[in-house]
Amino acid sequence: MAALQGVKIGDHHTLKDWGLYLVVGGTTVGPAEPDESLLVKVPFSDRILDLSKSMDGKVHYTQRKITITLKCVKPKRLWPKVQSTLENALQGQWLKCVFDDDPAWYWEGFWTVTPQSRDRWENVFAITGICNPYKTNTTAAAGADWLWDSFSFEEDTIYDTPTEVKSL
């Protein structure tokens, strides 16, 4: 049986700080949304002008929606306090998000908290982020400080010249 996993959002870890663990299959990373503002309606025409690749030949994206479903392991009497603390820490904040199973990468986004269900046995929350379209490697900034604890010698790369690293 796999160990319970959480997510670090901002300075807080959902499992260690709040007793909230990831539901198996409860994380959804939506598709990157193409920048539709680059589709221009031509005045007095029935056509749309596609400027999405006009500047650099690349498609540009605006955002991505990430939904994280978490269950509470704390006693039922503490559930209202957990919800209040969770909302105070995350609601309406622009924060980094690092998943326990992918510690070398982070997402940045604007987070909201929604109670999903509460019955006598479990309390479930959904944390939703409207995020940048790409996750960012924690080691991508050449010459900048980075964390050894999250560095994987098998999968990560140390960059010695500045570069932009993106991953869909």
Side-chain angles (χ1 to χ4, degrees):
M1 183 170 163
L4 297 179
Q5 291 190 337
V7 180
K8 184 175 182 186
I9 303 176
D11 294 330
H12 303 282
H13 191 275
T14 59
L15 184 58
K16 296 172 187 169
D17 296 339
W18 299 313
L20 298 169
Y21 67 92
L22 281 172
V23 173
V24 175
T27 301
T28 305
V29 177
E33 297 178 15
D35 187 355
E36 292 179 12
S37 69
L38 299 172
L39 298 176
V40 178
K41 170 84 172 85
V42 178
F44 306 105
S45 171
D46 294 333
R47 296 187 168 256
I48 293 178
L49 184 59
D50 178 10
L51 300 178
S52 60
K53 296 181 185 178
S54 64
M55 296 302 281
D56 59 5
K58 299 177 185 176
V59 175
H60 292 269
Y61 300 92
T62 58
Q63 63 188 23
R64 176 188 303 262
K65 183 177 179 181
I66 298 175
T67 303
I68 305 165
T69 306
L70 302 150
K71 281 189 182 177
C72 188
V73 296
K74 296 213 174 188
K76 187 174 185 173
R77 63 182 169 76
L78 297 176
W79 290 354
K81 183 178 180 183
V82 169
Q83 180 175 343
S84 176
T85 304
L86 188 62
E87 289 173 346
N88 287 335
L90 305 179
Q91 191 79 6
Q93 303 288 322
W94 183 267
L95 301 167
K96 288 182 182 179
C97 171
V98 180
F99 290 94
D100 285 356
D101 63 351
D102 195 14
W105 296 89
Y106 67 89
W107 297 93
E108 283 186 302
F110 182 80
W111 300 92
T112 56
V113 177
T114 309
Q116 290 297 106
S117 67
R118 179 182 288 179
D119 59 29
R120 50 189 290 195
W121 306 114
E122 67 183 16
N123 191 11
V124 179
F125 293 97
I127 299 175
T128 304
I130 303 302
C131 299
N132 286 334
Y134 302 105
K135 62 183 177 177
T136 305
N137 192 312
T138 57
T139 62
D145 293 337
W146 42 278
L147 301 174
W148 279 103
D149 292 344
S150 64
F151 186 79
S152 168
F153 286 93
E154 296 172 354
E155 298 176 5
D156 293 336
T157 306
I158 298 174
Y159 298 94
D160 53 358
T161 58
T163 183
E164 184 177 2
V165 176
K166 296 177 181 178
S167 175
L168 283 175

